[in-house]
Amino acid sequence: MSGLESLYQDLILDHSKHPHGYGLADGDGSWAESHQLNPVCGDEITLRVRLAEGEAGDVVRDVTWEGQGCSISQASASMLASLLTEENRMPRAEASTLIDAFRTALRSRGEIAIDEERFGDAAALSGVSKYTSRVKCAMLAWVALEDALARA
């Protein structure tokens, strides 16, 4: 294992043990929610997103989640929540584009690297694309966000 792969593995384990955005916010009607299940391995995620009015339309204001499963699915949810913090508000359309780009990279079987500047810690999941059985684990929270945005 290269030094970079080892660093990425450590980052994934750190996010799974110390998750960002973990704990569902009160569902007071201002949140859109999605529950996703990976039936192959049993990973589950419930994600809530709250949008706010912005200059460019709706922006993602907050993301919270709860789930259970492998370290990849839990770390991926944590990494996604880290990307979409209140300090880094992102227009809904940009969040959708981010999800599509992440999906494309993960389905590339290692041909497309995940850009660290754009995806932050989630770039550590680049190696997952070589293991098709793990792609759904890494995508679970991102699919939940996509579904919650569609419901919002």
Side-chain angles (χ1 to χ4, degrees), residues 17-29:
K17 290 178 183 176
H18 310 286
H20 298 257
Y22 190 85
L24 289 175
D26 290 335
D28 63 5

Side-chain angles (χ1 to χ4, degrees), residues 8 11-16 19-20 65 71-84 102 119-125 142:
Y8 280 175
L11 189 57
I12 290 168
L13 290 174
D14 185 55
H15 269 279
S16 69
H20 298 257
W65 65 278
S71 60
I72 290 172
S73 71
Q74 301 303 284
S76 185
S78 174
M79 293 167 174
L80 176 61
S82 292
L83 273 175
L84 301 171
F102 190 73
F119 290 93
D121 287 352
L125 297 166
W142 300 72

Side-chain angles (χ1 to χ4, degrees), residues 43-55:
D43 292 351
E44 286 187 70
I45 295 283
T46 300
L47 181 140
R48 289 187 179 147
V49 62
R50 182 168 45 179
L51 300 175
E53 231 8 75
E55 291 177 18

